[in-house]
Amino acid sequence: MNVYAAGLLISIIVYLVVGSYAGRKVRRLEDYFVAGRQAPTLLIVGTLVASLMSTNAFMGESGVAYAGNPSLIILLTAINGIGYVAGALYFGRFIRRSRALTVAEYFGRRFDSRRVQAVAGLTVVIGCTAYLVMVTQGTATIVHEVTGLSFHLTLLLTWVGYTAFTLYSGSRGVVITDTMMFLLFSAVAFLGLAVVLEQAGGWSEAIRQLATFGDKPGIISWHGVVGDGSAWNTPLDALIWALILGVAWSIVVAVSPWQASRYLMARDEHTVLRSATITAGMVMALYLVLMLCAAAINLIKPDIDPAQESMIWAAMNAMPTPVGVLLMAGIMAAGLSSASTFLSLCGFSISNDILRKNEGEDSSQLRNSRQTMLFIGVTALVIAWLLPQGRLFWVTYFAGTLFASSWGPVAFMSVWSKRITEAAAFWGILAGLLGNILTNGELALGLADLPVILDPILVGLQLSYLTIEAGASKGRVSAAVNRQRAAVHRVPVAERDAGK
């Protein structure tokens, strides 16, 4: 066993021990689903950042930056950071008042409808399972590169690692291990950038060399590398793509289940607002560091293939061994944190939102939740086993932005619109979901060649909003739905603290 493999093994053991300790304190459904609703700011920030910064950030998006487009990812991130603050102000603090166990359950309560809850839960299962598959593959790739074991064996080992502590401890364990992983990969990201820039001759020299880099001309221009060999033909195409994805991801971080569900765990509404603001700044800083680091790796080795393994190569070949070990552990931590989040969300949605809720004791419902979580985990493992590698970036972006299309309009209108009916919410979610999936399917099968302004995200968003408007114009809001909207606008007595 080499020193890198030892570092990964030690970190996994630490997470298992912490998850086991946290699992001992799980007694009620609220402990398992929403960490007892007592998480402080640090834990909410930790889990928000960790669940976003998966292997896609350290491999998929860093691969795009290494290939020649760091500025597009930075621009995209700058825009989507707005979603954290807007999401907390205009959605997150209101769903916390509902006392729901999941975001899908909030939709069900808000519209007094089991079918709205079920279709929202179905969206969670589709989107988060796709994300879980990609994160599992990405994390297994790291272990494969480090240990030399076969990819399928490392896939199984990775799956066992994150499933063990997630299945036992639920959200209570996830938020603690997420925060540990967040602190680790944040520290090593900055450390890794410093080492790579030093290898390239220092900050000023690295920027000068990148500005005149002949192999990838324009790598640090505002649009990056475009034209032949790039995903974008012109600078305008690249800019439109970054703007569309930036807006879409601002909606994702505002309302998606792996982000908004963290506000259900917060100690109070002030924690929600503080956490969202800190997270926006932290995510922006981390992406600036990672994208610049990935671009600068070109100055050490410009021909890494596939590009998504550029950070792994740098950790094992361009950094002092202790720094490389920490960076590899940090990259794996990013993958494990996201995997545990997506696995828990899928299990929660099947047991709580799609299947009819068992009205028995908490112990029986906890058992059902763990069984469904294990089922979805095995399903994700099988898909990851059979699916070809190398599509981490694009599949992750499909899975994430699925929620912008299906949930975006309904989420904000559920708080701020007096006109949206139960039927409008149900068909709006379904229309956005199908619009995004079908358009992506056409592109994947080569049945259509749509301009960037007809991105599947925008198609789904427009279909969702138009469907909601059509439903609202023909229906009438029931008295029960009106009461639910009024309830989320009432500030709880516990939140009326003049000092805060």
Side-chain angles (χ1 to χ4, degrees):
M1 179 183 292
N2 60 40
V3 66
Y4 298 97
L8 298 186
L9 179 61
I10 291 171
S11 62
I12 289 177
I13 291 173
V14 170
Y15 301 139
L16 287 173
V17 171
V18 172
S20 175
Y21 171 76
R24 294 176 187 174
K25 296 189 176 183
V26 173
R27 296 288 183 270
R28 303 171 299 141
L29 277 181
E30 285 200 349
D31 295 332
Y32 196 66
F33 277 65
V34 289
R37 305 190 197 275
Q38 289 299 314
T41 300
L42 176 61
L43 292 185
I44 299 298
V45 171
T47 190
L48 281 171
V49 178
S51 57
L52 181 78
M53 301 287 292
S54 64
T55 50
N56 187 51
F58 284 86
M59 295 175 66
E61 289 165 320
S62 292
V64 172
Y66 174 82
N69 299 95
S71 51
L72 292 184
I73 304 299
I74 292 170
L75 173 59
L76 187 160
T77 306
I79 298 171
N80 77 43
I82 299 168
Y84 279 109
V85 181
L89 281 171
Y90 302 115
F91 183 64
R93 61 194 178 110
F94 294 94
I95 65 170
R96 187 187 177 281
R97 295 175 188 176
S98 72
R99 308 293 292 180
L101 294 175
T102 65
V103 182
E105 183 181 322
Y106 158 76
F107 287 129
R109 291 188 182 187
R110 169 62 180 83
F111 296 104
D112 193 33
S113 171
R114 274 291 307 175
R115 68 171 183 168
V116 170
Q117 181 175 345
V119 75
L122 176 65
T123 309
V124 173
V125 173
I126 293 172
C128 288
T129 300
Y131 217 144
L132 176 60
V133 168
M134 290 299 101
V135 171
T136 303
Q137 279 197 345
T139 310
T141 298
I142 297 168
V143 182
H144 164 67
E145 292 290 336
V146 169
T147 63
L149 298 173
S150 71
F151 173 73
H152 286 112
L153 178 57
T154 60
L155 192 70
L156 180 61
L157 293 174
T158 297
W159 179 84
V160 171
Y162 70 73
T163 300
F165 67 79
T166 307
L167 200 67
Y168 179 56
S169 61
S171 290
R172 185 178 289 276
V174 167
V175 296
I176 296 174
T177 53
D178 270 3
T179 302
M180 294 171 59
M181 296 174 191
F182 153 69
L183 294 173
L184 173 62
F185 67 64
S186 296
V188 298
F190 285 89
L191 186 60
L193 174 63
V195 172
V196 168
L197 289 179
E198 183 181 354
Q199 291 275 331
W203 174 273
S204 299
E205 178 62 18
I207 296 298
R208 187 193 67 77
Q209 290 187 52
L210 286 172
T212 58
F213 192 57
D215 290 354
K216 298 172 183 175
I219 188 172
I220 58 169
S221 64
W222 67 266
H223 52 73
V225 177
V226 296
D228 294 340
S230 172
W232 302 277
N233 293 323
T234 68
L236 181 60
D237 287 341
L239 176 62
I240 293 174
W241 177 87
L243 293 175
I244 289 173
L245 266 293
V247 172
W249 274 88
S250 70
I251 301 173
V252 170
V253 300
V255 305
S256 68
W258 71 86
Q259 298 286 283
S261 65
R262 276 45 202 150
Y263 301 137
L264 297 173
M265 306 174 190
R267 179 177 292 166
D268 53 36
E269 290 184 21
H270 297 277
T271 299
V272 170
L273 300 178
R274 282 194 299 270
S275 301
T277 307
I278 295 170
T279 299
M282 195 67 217
V283 167
M284 188 69 237
L286 281 171
Y287 267 90
L288 280 168
V289 167
L290 285 176
M291 296 311 110
L292 180 57
C293 183
I297 291 171
N298 279 283
L299 303 178
I300 304 172
K301 185 174 176 60
D303 58 351
I304 299 172
D305 186 34
Q308 71 175 17
E309 295 185 12
S310 56
M311 294 293 284
I312 297 176
W313 182 91
M316 299 183 68
N317 296 278
M319 299 182 180
T321 300
V323 178
V325 170
L326 286 174
L327 181 57
M328 291 300 295
I331 297 173
M332 189 186 69
L336 290 175
S337 65
S338 294
S340 63
T341 294
F342 299 130
L343 176 60
S344 62
L345 287 170
C346 289
F348 295 163
S349 282
I350 291 177
S351 63
N352 188 68
D353 302 322
I354 297 176
L355 302 179
R356 287 202 173 272
K357 195 172 182 179
N358 184 353
E359 298 298 339
E361 297 294 327
D362 274 12
S363 58
S364 65
Q365 295 186 55
L366 282 171
R367 183 174 60 253
N368 290 340
S369 295
R370 287 179 170 129
Q371 289 171 349
T372 55
M373 195 180 297
L374 180 61
F375 168 78
I376 202 70
V378 171
T379 302
L381 174 63
V382 171
I383 297 172
W385 193 284
L386 300 175
L387 197 67
Q389 296 173 253
R391 300 294 292 172
L392 178 65
F393 176 79
W394 298 108
V395 175
T396 300
Y397 267 56
F398 156 71
T401 55
L402 191 66
F403 295 99
S405 295
S406 58
W407 283 21
V410 173
F412 287 110
M413 293 177 77
S414 71
V415 176
W416 301 103
S417 173
K418 297 180 180 179
R419 298 175 53 249
I420 184 169
T421 63
E422 183 273 345
F426 173 79
W427 292 109
I429 292 174
L430 193 59
L433 175 68
L434 294 178
N436 188 303
I437 291 176
L438 293 177
T439 309
N440 266 302
E442 284 185 331
L443 293 174
L445 296 173
L447 301 177
D449 185 18
L450 300 175
V452 69
I453 58 172
L454 289 180
D455 188 280
I457 305 159
L458 296 183
V459 172
L461 265 173
Q462 292 177 62
L463 282 175
S464 178
Y465 179 72
L466 292 174
T467 302
I468 292 170
E469 285 297 322
S473 65
K474 294 181 180 179
R476 178 176 295 179
V477 179
S478 69
V481 171
N482 272 329
R483 285 195 298 272
Q484 291 294 338
R485 180 182 179 277
V488 299
H489 280 273
R490 281 195 292 270
V491 180
V493 175
E495 302 291 343
R496 298 174 187 171
D497 186 321
K500 288 183 179 179

